[in-house]
Amino acid sequence: MTPSPSTGTVLDSIIAGVVEDMDTRKATTPLARMQQLAAEAAPARNAYDALVGGRDNAAGVGIIAEVKRESPSAGPLADIASPAELAAQYAAGGAAAISVLTERRRFGGSLEDFDAVRARVDIPLLRKDFTVDEYQIYEARAHGADLVLLIVAALDDTQLRDYLALTHELGMHALVETHTVEEIQRAVAVNASIVGVNVRNLKTLEVDTAHYGTLAGHLPANVVRVAESGVKQASDVAMYAAQGADAVLVGEALVKHGEPRQAIADFRQASRS
């Protein structure tokens, strides 16, 4: 079993707050009730099929467009008056899926933002948070999520395997996020079907866009390969596509763009070969 990361990193600090906020929600809605709500939710959309379309170079890579108010590294990003309207623009621009931040303390997100987006669009949604407890997976499904985020660096091997299995039991898929060769190997060992490489080191928040290319060769051909972070312009998306990415997750560049619908179309066009 691979231990969780040592204390003192940015990731550890974020997770500590996530656990505290989750415990507050648990006090209001206990696990048994959340499990019931998850069972009663409408069936999940097939996020895998939506993302695997990025392998069709004629159509361009799949864009996972993010609703993101702020970040630990950049601070406030955008005053998003209506997450639902932003998501509608993303969908109209051809996004394959939409990611909604629900972590409150460092990203300014909320489940209310997620609910607003879910009520507006009908494409797959990723509940973007730091999953460290099965409660969050049931909670995501109860709110209509189709994808959850499993960060390999935040989980030991048993958690990673069990949480991925639970995600599938609930009809969802998981974006299994990695940053190192070892983490890719751990993701492959649990048969992850959607594997992301985050070019941001969550322990330090440093970004290196060349990092995806360094690790791309270690990603199996049979998984959906997602490049995460570092996108500032269309050429960055094209670079990831040229290195084999099937999908690219974009947050800051879209929420700060005056015309997000057009930006997504431009990103996809730039990635076509």
Side-chain angles (χ1 to χ4, degrees), residues 221-235:
N222 64 336
V223 304
V224 174
R225 297 157 293 188
V226 182
E228 303 177 48
S229 301
V231 172
K232 294 183 178 179
Q233 53 198 4
S235 60

Side-chain angles (χ1 to χ4, degrees), residues 14-132:
I14 293 172
I15 289 174
V18 165
V19 171
E20 187 174 333
D21 290 344
M22 177 185 63
D23 287 343
T24 299
R25 298 195 304 276
K26 278 184 178 180
T28 301
T29 309
L31 176 60
R33 174 57 177 158
M34 195 60 73
Q35 290 171 323
Q36 180 183 7
L37 292 171
E40 294 171 353
R45 295 152 186 80
N46 193 323
Y48 179 90
D49 283 356
L51 294 177
V52 80
R55 291 181 177 169
D56 178 5
N57 289 330
V61 298
I63 301 296
I64 305 175
E66 195 155 78
V67 177
K68 183 178 185 181
R69 296 180 180 275
E70 58 187 79
S71 75
S73 59
L77 298 174
D79 181 13
I80 303 174
S82 173
E85 179 57 32
L86 178 59
Q89 291 294 312
Y90 288 163
I98 295 174
S99 167
V100 182
L101 264 298
T102 61
E103 196 282 331
R104 176 179 63 86
R105 301 186 185 206
R106 301 295 189 95
F107 294 88
S110 68
L111 283 164
E112 288 75 20
D113 280 355
F114 190 94
D115 291 341
V117 172
R118 177 75 290 165
R120 185 67 177 273
V121 302
D122 195 37
I123 63 175
L125 294 191
L126 165 65
R127 190 257 178 109
K128 184 80 175 290
D129 212 317
F130 296 77
T131 305
V132 291

Side-chain angles (χ1 to χ4, degrees), residues 5 128 177 204 226 267:
K128 184 80 175 290
E177 181 177 297
T204 64
V226 182
F267 289 167

